[in-house]
Coordinates of all heavy atoms in Angstrom, one line a residue:
M2 N -7.5 -28.0 8.3 CA -6.2 -27.7 8.7 C -5.8 -26.4 7.8 O -5.9 -26.6 6.5 CB -5.2 -28.8 8.6 CG -3.8 -28.4 9.1 SD -2.7 -29.8 9.0 CE -2.6 -30.2 10.7
S3 N -5.2 -25.3 8.5 CA -4.9 -24.2 7.5 C -3.4 -24.0 7.6 O -2.8 -24.5 8.6 CB -5.6 -22.9 8.1 OG -5.2 -22.6 9.3
I4 N -2.8 -23.5 6.8 CA -1.3 -23.2 6.7 C -1.2 -21.8 7.0 O -1.8 -20.8 6.4 CB -0.7 -23.5 5.3 CG1 -0.9 -24.9 5.0 CG2 0.7 -23.0 5.3 CD1 -0.6 -25.4 3.5
N5 N -0.3 -21.5 8.0 CA 0.0 -19.9 8.4 C 1.0 -19.5 7.5 O 2.0 -20.2 7.3 CB 0.3 -20.0 9.9 CG -0.6 -20.4 10.9 OD1 -2.0 -20.2 10.4 ND2 -0.5 -20.7 12.1
K6 N 0.8 -18.4 6.9 CA 1.8 -17.8 6.2 C 2.9 -17.0 7.1 O 2.5 -16.2 7.9 CB 1.3 -16.7 5.3 CG 0.5 -17.4 4.1 CD 0.2 -16.3 3.0 CE -0.5 -16.8 1.8 NZ -0.9 -15.9 0.8
T7 N 4.2 -17.3 7.0 CA 5.1 -16.6 7.6 C 5.7 -15.5 6.8 O 6.1 -15.9 5.7 CB 6.2 -17.6 8.1 OG1 6.8 -18.3 7.1 CG2 5.7 -18.7 9.1
P8 N 6.0 -14.4 7.5 CA 6.5 -13.3 6.4 C 8.0 -13.8 6.1 O 8.7 -14.2 6.8 CB 6.5 -12.1 7.4 CG 6.4 -12.6 8.7 CD 5.7 -14.0 8.7
F9 N 8.4 -13.4 4.8 CA 9.5 -13.7 4.3 C 10.5 -12.6 4.7 O 10.3 -11.3 4.5 CB 9.5 -13.7 2.7 CG 10.8 -14.2 2.1 CD1 11.2 -15.6 2.2 CD2 11.5 -13.3 1.2 CE1 12.3 -15.9 1.5 CE2 12.6 -13.9 0.6 CZ 13.0 -15.2 0.8
P10 N 11.6 -12.9 5.6 CA 12.3 -12.0 6.2 C 13.4 -11.2 5.3 O 14.2 -10.4 5.8 CB 13.0 -12.8 7.2 CG 13.1 -14.1 6.8 CD 11.9 -14.3 6.0
F11 N 13.5 -11.6 4.1 CA 14.5 -11.2 3.2 C 13.8 -10.2 2.1 O 12.6 -10.3 1.8 CB 15.2 -12.2 2.4 CG 16.0 -13.1 3.2 CD1 15.4 -14.4 3.6 CD2 17.2 -12.9 3.7 CE1 16.1 -15.3 4.6 CE2 18.0 -13.8 4.6 CZ 17.5 -14.9 5.0
Y12 N 14.6 -9.3 1.7 CA 14.3 -8.3 0.7 C 15.4 -8.3 -0.4 O 16.6 -8.2 -0.1 CB 14.1 -6.9 1.3 CG 13.9 -5.7 0.2 CD1 12.6 -5.8 -0.3 CD2 14.8 -4.9 -0.1 CE1 12.3 -4.8 -1.3 CE2 14.5 -4.0 -1.0 CZ 13.3 -3.9 -1.6 OH 13.0 -2.9 -2.6
Q13 N 15.0 -8.4 -1.8 CA 15.9 -8.3 -2.7 C 16.1 -6.8 -3.2 O 15.1 -6.1 -3.5 CB 15.4 -9.1 -3.8 CG 16.4 -9.2 -5.0 CD 16.1 -10.3 -6.1 OE1 14.9 -10.6 -6.3 NE2 17.0 -10.6 -6.9
V14 N 17.2 -6.3 -3.3 CA 17.6 -5.0 -3.6 C 17.3 -4.8 -5.0 O 17.7 -5.6 -5.9 CB 19.0 -4.6 -3.3 CG1 19.3 -3.2 -3.6 CG2 19.4 -4.9 -1.7
Q15 N 16.5 -3.7 -5.3 CA 16.1 -3.5 -6.7 C 17.0 -2.4 -7.4 O 17.9 -2.0 -6.6 CB 14.6 -2.8 -6.7 CG 13.7 -3.7 -6.1 CD 13.5 -5.0 -6.8 OE1 13.5 -5.1 -8.0 NE2 13.3 -6.1 -6.0
K16 N 17.0 -2.3 -8.6 CA 17.9 -1.4 -9.4 C 17.8 0.0 -8.9 O 16.6 0.6 -8.7 CB 17.6 -1.4 -10.9 CG 18.6 -0.6 -11.8 CD 18.3 -0.9 -13.2 CE 19.4 -0.2 -13.9 NZ 19.2 -0.4 -15.4
G17 N 18.7 0.7 -8.5 CA 18.8 2.1 -8.2 C 18.5 2.4 -6.7 O 18.5 3.5 -6.4
E18 N 18.4 1.3 -6.0 CA 18.1 1.4 -4.5 C 19.5 1.4 -3.8 O 20.3 0.7 -4.1 CB 17.2 0.4 -4.0 CG 15.7 0.5 -4.4 CD 14.9 -0.6 -3.7 OE1 15.4 -1.6 -3.5 OE2 13.7 -0.3 -3.5
N19 N 19.5 2.2 -2.7 CA 20.6 2.1 -1.8 C 20.2 2.0 -0.4 O 18.9 1.9 -0.1 CB 21.6 3.3 -2.0 CG 20.9 4.7 -1.8 OD1 19.7 4.6 -1.1 ND2 21.3 5.7 -2.4
L20 N 21.1 2.0 0.6 CA 20.8 1.7 2.0 C 19.8 2.9 2.5 O 18.7 2.6 3.3 CB 21.9 1.8 2.8 CG 21.7 1.6 4.3 CD1 21.1 0.2 4.6 CD2 23.0 1.7 5.1
K21 N 19.9 4.2 2.1 CA 19.1 5.3 2.5 C 17.5 5.0 2.0 O 16.6 5.2 2.8 CB 19.6 6.6 2.0 CG 18.7 7.8 2.5 CD 19.5 8.9 2.0 CE 18.7 10.3 2.6 NZ 19.1 11.5 2.0
I22 N 17.4 4.6 0.7 CA 16.0 4.4 0.2 C 15.4 3.3 0.9 O 14.2 3.3 1.3 CB 16.3 4.2 -1.4 CG1 16.7 5.4 -2.0 CG2 14.9 3.7 -1.9 CD1 17.1 5.3 -3.5
I23 N 16.1 2.3 1.1 CA 15.5 1.0 1.8 C 15.1 1.2 3.2 O 14.0 1.0 3.7 CB 16.5 -0.2 1.8 CG1 16.7 -0.6 0.2 CG2 15.9 -1.3 2.6 CD1 17.8 -1.6 0.1
S24 N 15.9 2.0 3.9 CA 15.6 2.3 5.2 C 14.4 3.2 5.5 O 13.6 3.1 6.4 CB 16.8 3.0 6.0 OG 17.2 4.2 5.5
Q25 N 14.2 4.1 4.5 CA 13.1 5.3 4.6 C 11.8 4.4 4.0 O 10.8 4.5 4.7 CB 13.3 6.3 3.5 CG 14.3 7.3 4.1 CD 14.6 8.3 3.0 OE1 14.3 8.3 1.9 NE2 15.4 9.3 3.5
K26 N 11.9 3.5 3.1 CA 10.9 2.7 2.5 C 10.3 1.8 3.5 O 9.0 1.6 3.7 CB 11.3 1.9 1.3 CG 10.2 1.2 0.5 CD 11.0 0.5 -0.5 CE 10.0 -0.1 -1.6 NZ 10.6 -0.9 -2.7
Y27 N 11.0 1.2 4.4 CA 10.5 0.2 5.5 C 10.6 0.8 6.8 O 10.2 0.1 7.8 CB 11.3 -1.1 5.3 CG 11.0 -1.8 4.1 CD1 11.8 -1.7 2.9 CD2 9.7 -2.6 4.0 CE1 11.5 -2.4 1.7 CE2 9.4 -3.2 2.9 CZ 10.2 -3.1 1.7 OH 10.0 -3.8 0.6
N28 N 10.9 2.1 7.0 CA 11.0 2.8 8.2 C 11.9 1.9 9.4 O 11.5 1.7 10.5 CB 9.7 3.0 8.9 CG 9.6 4.0 9.9 OD1 10.5 4.8 10.1 ND2 8.5 4.0 10.7
I29 N 13.1 1.5 8.9 CA 14.0 0.9 9.8 C 15.2 1.7 9.7 O 15.8 2.0 8.7 CB 14.3 -0.6 9.2 CG1 12.9 -1.5 9.2 CG2 15.3 -1.4 10.0 CD1 13.2 -2.8 8.5
E30 N 15.9 1.7 10.8 CA 17.2 2.5 10.9 C 18.4 1.7 10.1 O 18.3 0.5 10.0 CB 17.7 2.5 12.4 CG 16.9 3.5 13.3 CD 17.5 3.8 14.5 OE1 18.7 3.8 14.7 OE2 16.7 3.8 15.5
S31 N 19.1 2.6 9.2 CA 20.0 2.0 8.5 C 21.1 1.2 9.2 O 21.6 0.2 8.7 CB 20.7 3.0 7.6 OG 21.2 4.0 8.3
T32 N 21.5 1.7 10.4 CA 22.5 1.0 11.2 C 22.0 -0.5 11.6 O 22.7 -1.4 11.6 CB 22.9 1.7 12.5 OG1 21.7 2.1 13.1 CG2 23.7 2.9 12.0
K33 N 20.7 -0.6 11.8 CA 20.0 -1.9 12.2 C 20.2 -2.8 11.0 O 20.5 -4.0 11.2 CB 18.6 -1.7 12.7 CG 18.1 -3.2 13.0 CD 17.0 -3.0 14.1 CE 16.3 -4.3 14.4 NZ 17.1 -5.4 14.4
I34 N 19.9 -2.3 9.8 CA 19.9 -3.1 8.7 C 21.4 -3.7 8.4 O 21.6 -4.8 8.1 CB 19.5 -2.3 7.3 CG1 18.0 -2.1 7.5 CG2 19.8 -3.2 6.2 CD1 17.5 -1.1 6.4
L35 N 22.4 -2.7 8.6 CA 23.8 -3.1 8.4 C 24.3 -4.1 9.5 O 25.0 -5.0 9.0 CB 24.6 -1.9 8.5 CG 24.5 -0.9 7.3 CD1 25.4 0.4 7.5 CD2 24.8 -1.5 6.0
L36 N 23.9 -4.0 10.6 CA 24.2 -4.9 11.7 C 23.6 -6.2 11.6 O 24.2 -7.3 11.8 CB 23.8 -4.2 13.1 CG 24.7 -3.0 13.5 CD1 24.2 -2.5 15.0 CD2 26.2 -3.5 13.7
D37 N 22.3 -6.3 11.2 CA 21.6 -7.6 10.9 C 22.3 -8.3 9.8 O 22.4 -9.7 9.8 CB 20.2 -7.3 10.7 CG 19.4 -6.9 11.8 OD1 19.9 -7.0 12.9 OD2 18.3 -6.4 11.7
N38 N 22.7 -7.7 8.8 CA 23.4 -8.3 7.7 C 24.9 -8.4 7.7 O 25.5 -9.0 6.8 CB 22.9 -7.6 6.4 CG 21.5 -7.7 6.1 OD1 21.0 -8.9 5.6 ND2 20.6 -6.6 6.4
Q39 N 25.5 -7.7 8.8 CA 26.9 -7.7 9.0 C 27.7 -7.4 7.7 O 28.5 -8.1 7.1 CB 27.3 -9.2 9.4 CG 26.8 -9.5 10.7 CD 27.3 -11.0 11.1 OE1 27.9 -11.7 10.3 NE2 26.8 -11.4 12.1
M40 N 27.4 -6.2 7.2 CA 27.9 -5.6 6.0 C 28.1 -4.1 6.1 O 27.5 -3.5 6.9 CB 27.2 -6.1 4.7 CG 25.7 -5.7 4.7 SD 24.8 -6.1 3.2 CE 25.2 -7.8 3.0
S41 N 28.9 -3.6 5.1 CA 28.9 -2.1 4.9 C 28.0 -1.7 3.9 O 27.5 -2.4 3.1 CB 30.4 -1.8 4.7 OG 30.7 -2.1 3.3
P42 N 27.7 -0.3 4.0 CA 26.8 0.3 2.9 C 27.3 0.1 1.6 O 26.3 0.0 0.6 CB 26.8 1.8 3.3 CG 27.3 1.9 4.7 CD 28.2 0.7 4.9
K43 N 28.4 0.0 1.2 CA 29.0 -0.1 0.0 C 28.8 -1.7 -0.6 O 28.9 -1.9 -1.7 CB 30.5 0.2 -0.2 CG 30.8 1.5 -0.1 CD 32.1 2.0 -0.3 CE 32.3 3.4 0.1 NZ 33.6 3.9 -0.2
Q44 N 28.5 -2.6 0.4 CA 28.3 -3.9 -0.2 C 26.9 -4.2 -0.6 O 26.5 -5.3 -1.2 CB 28.7 -4.9 1.0 CG 30.1 -4.9 1.4 CD 30.4 -5.8 2.6 OE1 29.7 -5.6 3.6 NE2 31.3 -6.8 2.5
I45 N 26.0 -3.4 -0.3 CA 24.5 -3.5 -0.8 C 24.4 -3.2 -2.3 O 24.6 -2.1 -2.6 CB 23.6 -2.6 0.0 CG1 23.6 -3.1 1.5 CG2 22.2 -2.7 -0.6 CD1 22.7 -2.3 2.4
K46 N 24.2 -4.2 -3.0 CA 24.2 -4.1 -4.5 C 22.9 -4.6 -5.0 O 22.2 -5.4 -4.3 CB 25.3 -4.8 -5.1 CG 26.6 -4.5 -4.6 CD 27.7 -4.4 -5.6 CE 29.1 -4.1 -5.1 NZ 29.4 -2.7 -4.7
E47 N 22.6 -4.3 -6.2 CA 21.3 -4.7 -7.0 C 21.4 -6.3 -6.9 O 22.1 -6.8 -7.3 CB 21.2 -4.1 -8.3 CG 20.1 -4.5 -9.2 CD 20.2 -4.1 -10.6 OE1 21.0 -3.1 -10.9 OE2 19.5 -4.6 -11.4
G48 N 20.1 -6.8 -6.6 CA 19.9 -8.2 -6.8 C 20.3 -9.0 -5.6 O 19.7 -10.1 -5.5
M49 N 21.0 -8.5 -4.6 CA 21.3 -9.3 -3.5 C 20.1 -9.3 -2.4 O 19.3 -8.4 -2.5 CB 22.5 -8.8 -2.8 CG 22.5 -7.6 -1.9 SD 24.1 -7.0 -1.3 CE 24.6 -8.4 -0.5
F50 N 20.1 -10.3 -1.6 CA 19.0 -10.4 -0.6 C 19.7 -9.8 0.8 O 20.7 -10.2 1.1 CB 18.5 -11.8 -0.4 CG 17.7 -12.3 -1.6 CD1 18.2 -12.9 -2.6 CD2 16.3 -12.0 -1.5 CE1 17.4 -13.4 -3.6 CE2 15.5 -12.5 -2.5 CZ 16.1 -13.2 -3.6
I51 N 18.9 -9.0 1.5 CA 19.2 -8.6 2.9 C 18.0 -8.9 3.8 O 16.9 -9.1 3.4 CB 19.5 -7.1 2.8 CG1 18.3 -6.3 2.3 CG2 20.6 -6.8 2.0 CD1 18.6 -4.8 2.4
I52 N 18.4 -9.0 5.0 CA 17.4 -9.3 6.0 C 16.9 -8.0 6.5 O 17.6 -7.1 6.8 CB 18.1 -10.0 7.2 CG1 18.6 -11.4 6.7 CG2 17.0 -10.2 8.4 CD1 19.6 -12.1 7.8
L53 N 15.5 -8.0 6.5 CA 14.9 -6.8 7.1 C 14.1 -7.1 8.4 O 13.0 -7.9 8.3 CB 13.8 -6.1 6.2 CG 14.6 -5.5 4.9 CD1 13.5 -5.0 3.9 CD2 15.5 -4.4 5.2
K54 N 14.5 -6.8 9.6 CA 13.8 -7.1 10.8 C 13.4 -5.8 11.5 O 14.2 -4.8 11.4 CB 14.6 -7.8 11.7 CG 14.9 -9.3 11.3 CD 15.7 -10.0 12.4 CE 16.9 -10.7 12.0 NZ 17.7 -11.2 13.1
K55 N 12.4 -5.7 12.1 CA 11.9 -4.4 12.9 C 12.2 -4.6 14.3 O 12.4 -5.6 14.8 CB 10.5 -4.1 12.6 CG 10.2 -3.5 11.2 CD 8.9 -2.9 11.1 CE 8.7 -2.2 9.8 NZ 7.7 -1.5 9.7

């Protein structure tokens, strides 16, 4: 029996990253990230976990 790995849907924001950097890094629109997480761009801070869905 094998265990299927499921992708971890969260990303921890690193030091110096902002919404623009994260959206370019993962090729996801910034508005989609904000809507999925129900937050504003100013709420994205270092160390917090955000949902990244394509």
